[in-house]
Amino acid sequence: MEGEERPPQEADVETVMTSGASESVPRVISGEAQNLSDVDAFHLLLEMKLKRRRKQPNLPRTVTQLVAEDGSRVYVVGTAHFSDDSKRDVVKTIREVQPDVVVVELCQYRVSMLKMDERTLLREAKEVSLEKLQQAVRQNGLMSGLMQMLLLKVSAHITEQLGMAPGGEFREAFKEASKVPFCKFHLGDRPIPVTFKRAIAALSFWQKVKLAWGLCFLSDPISKDDVERCKQKDLLEQMMAEMIGEFPDLHRTIVAERDIYLTYMLRQAARRLELPRASEAEPRKCVPSVVVGVVGMGHVPGIEKNWSTELNIQEIMTVPPPSIMGRMSRLAAKATFFGLLGYSLYWMGRRTVSLALSLPVAQFCLQRASAARPGP
C-alpha cells in the first residue's frame, strides 16, 4: 500500500489518468525521498499536482473552456482589469485546474506591473509626467507616443475614480502560478509598440484628431458597478459595436488583431507535455497539457472564434510604412508642438523679465544707472 514503510528500493510505478484525456502518467508509489532519482522526484511532484487537479472543476462563470486537437485543455478567464471579483476568479481557476502553463494578456513592455506593489502601481498609474511622454515618444514615435499617453490618461482617470490600480488579476495569476509545481508563466500579448504603430497607421488624420479630442476630455465618473457590468458579454458586445461604428480600423488593430495573437499564444502553450525518462531505452510518453489564460473579457469572443482557424501572425506583426498624408501630418504635429513650446518659453521669459523689472530693487537699480549715465 501507498502508506506502508518499505526498505529503500527502486520505486514502483503505476499509472494515474489525467483529467479529460486517455493518456497515463507514471505514478511513484514509494521510496525514500533522499534515494529518489530526478525522474522519480519529478513524477512524485507531478502526482501531487494531479491529485490537486479537479476532474470536474468548479469554475467561475467568467471561464470559457477550449480543447485543442491533441486533447489539451485551455481555461480562458475573462476579466475586467479593475475588478476584485476578477482577481478571485483567477485564483479560483488556477487552484482548481492546477495548470501546466498560465498565459496572461501582457507583453514584455508591461511586465513590470507583475512585481510592483499595489500602492506603487496606484501612484504610477495616476502620474502622467513629461518623462513618461518622452519615453513613450522615444519608444513608439511621436504620434504613437502621444496616443499612448492619451490612453494612459484614460487609465489614470479610471484609477483615480476607483482608487484601484489596473492589472490586479495578472499579479494574482503570477503569484498563484508560482505555487503550482512545474507551472510555466507566459506573456501572451502582442508588443505594445507594434499595436500602437499599427493603430495610428490605420487611422486617417481627422480620425486621429477626433480620437485625441475625445480622450483628452474624458471626465465622466465611473463606478465599481460599471466595471463589474463589463464582465457581462452582452454589455461588452454593445460597447464594442458602438466603438466599431466610430473607429472600425482602431477596433481591428487594438482588439481583433490582438484576439488573433492571444489565440496563437494560447495554442502554442497548449501542447502535449513530454515526461522525463529514466533512460534512453524507455519509450517517450506525452500527456495533454492544461493551460489557464487570463485576458480581458472583450477578447474572449474573438479567441473562441479564432480557436479552430488557421492563424498568420506575421501579417499582424508588421508596421506598414507611413503614407504621404501621414508623413505630412506628423511634420505638422511636430511643427505645432515645437512652435507651441517655443512660444510658451518666449512668453514665460518675457513675463519673467517684466515681473523682475517691476520689482522695487530693479527699479532702484535702473534709476541709479540712469543717474550715473553721463549727459550728452
Side-chain angles (χ1 to χ4, degrees):
M1 293 179 62
E2 187 171 344
E4 293 179 352
E5 292 288 337
R6 299 173 62 180
Q9 59 181 359
E10 184 176 349
D12 294 331
V13 175
E14 71 177 53
T15 59
V16 174
M17 303 303 293
T18 60
S19 60
S22 58
E23 300 291 339
S24 60
V25 178
R27 177 183 177 186
V28 178
I29 299 302
S30 63
E32 294 183 9
Q34 60 266 31
N35 293 329
L36 291 177
S37 67
D38 290 342
V39 174
D40 291 337
F42 175 90
H43 290 312
L44 181 60
L45 288 172
L46 183 60
E47 177 191 0
M48 294 170 56
K49 176 176 177 176
L50 295 177
K51 281 183 177 180
R52 295 177 189 169
R53 181 178 289 172
R54 303 288 182 88
K55 291 185 178 181
Q56 299 294 330
N58 180 23
L59 299 173
R61 61 180 178 81
T62 53
V63 175
T64 300
Q65 183 175 334
L66 303 169
V67 181
E69 292 180 355
D70 62 9
S72 297
R73 295 183 178 274
V74 178
Y75 299 92
V76 182
V77 188
T79 67
H81 295 315
F82 294 84
S83 168
D84 288 329
D85 282 352
S86 288
K87 297 180 190 178
R88 289 188 284 269
D89 289 351
V90 169
V91 171
K92 181 177 178 61
T93 302
I94 292 176
R95 290 180 180 177
E96 287 280 319
V97 305
Q98 293 290 297
D100 303 301
V101 185
V102 172
V103 181
V104 296
E105 185 198 332
L106 287 177
C107 67
Q108 65 267 35
Y109 294 93
R110 294 177 289 158
V111 72
S112 59
M113 71 163 55
L114 294 175
K115 296 184 179 181
M116 287 186 184
D117 60 85
E118 193 80 10
R119 183 177 299 176
T120 303
L121 277 166
L122 195 59
R123 185 179 66 251
E124 287 285 323
K126 288 181 179 179
E127 294 176 355
V128 181
S129 61
L130 181 61
E131 182 181 352
K132 288 185 179 179
L133 174 60
Q134 292 173 339
Q135 182 181 356
V137 170
R138 283 197 303 268
Q139 189 180 87
N140 303 316
L142 179 62
M143 294 300 294
S144 299
L146 290 174
M147 191 62 64
Q148 181 178 347
M149 290 307 298
L150 289 174
L151 292 174
L152 282 176
K153 178 181 178 296
V154 175
S155 178
H157 169 65
I158 299 174
T159 299
E160 187 174 2
Q161 291 280 320
L162 300 181
M164 181 187 300
E169 73 273 31
F170 302 138
R171 290 188 291 280
E172 291 299 326
F174 184 67
K175 292 176 188 175
E176 289 299 318
S178 66
K179 301 175 185 177
V180 179
F182 312 115
C183 182
K184 298 178 181 179
F185 191 87
H186 289 182
L187 304 176
D189 202 2
R190 183 172 65 177
I192 196 168
V194 177
T195 298
F196 277 120
K197 287 177 182 177
R198 286 183 63 84
I200 291 299
L203 294 177
S204 68
F205 175 77
W206 292 113
Q207 284 178 321
K208 293 171 188 174
V209 172
K210 187 177 181 181
L211 178 63
W213 181 268
L215 293 175
C216 281
F217 293 96
L218 178 70
S219 59
D220 294 337
I222 301 169
S223 68
K224 289 190 177 183
D225 290 339
D226 293 333
V227 175
E228 294 305 325
R229 281 201 298 272
C230 286
K231 296 169 75 174
Q232 302 172 12
K233 292 186 179 181
D234 55 346
L235 177 62
L236 265 172
E237 289 172 1
Q238 178 183 349
M239 292 168 63
M240 286 300 171
E242 294 174 359
M243 185 178 178
I244 290 172
E246 194 165 2
F247 300 106
D249 292 325
L250 193 65
H251 175 267
R252 173 175 56 81
T253 53
I254 291 183
V255 180
E257 290 182 358
R258 288 172 62 221
D259 290 347
I260 294 172
Y261 193 92
L262 288 165
T263 306
Y264 176 83
M265 295 303 290
L266 287 170
R267 287 194 343 200
Q268 289 292 106
R271 292 183 171 182
R272 293 169 70 85
L273 301 175
E274 182 177 338
L275 300 177
R277 296 177 294 166
S279 66
E280 291 295 327
E282 186 178 337
R284 295 178 183 274
K285 295 179 181 177
C286 296
V287 295
S289 61
V290 173
V291 178
V292 169
V294 182
V295 303
M297 179 59 80
H299 292 292
V300 176
I303 292 172
E304 288 185 277
K305 176 184 175 182
N306 295 313
W307 184 250
S308 301
T309 61
E310 291 291 330
L311 301 177
N312 178 17
I313 66 164
Q314 295 302 322
E315 182 181 347
I316 63 172
M317 289 298 291
T318 58
V319 179
S323 62
I324 296 176
M325 188 65 182
R327 288 195 291 268
M328 291 177 62
S329 64
R330 276 202 300 275
L331 287 173
K334 287 182 180 179
T336 303
F337 175 76
F338 288 113
L340 290 173
L341 180 62
Y343 178 76
S344 299
L345 292 174
Y346 166 76
W347 185 87
M348 289 175 62
R350 183 177 176 181
R351 181 69 174 167
T352 302
V353 171
S354 299
L355 288 173
L357 292 176
S358 65
L359 295 173
V361 175
Q363 292 291 329
F364 176 76
C365 291
L366 288 173
Q367 289 175 3
R368 290 288 302 271
S370 299
R373 183 184 300 176

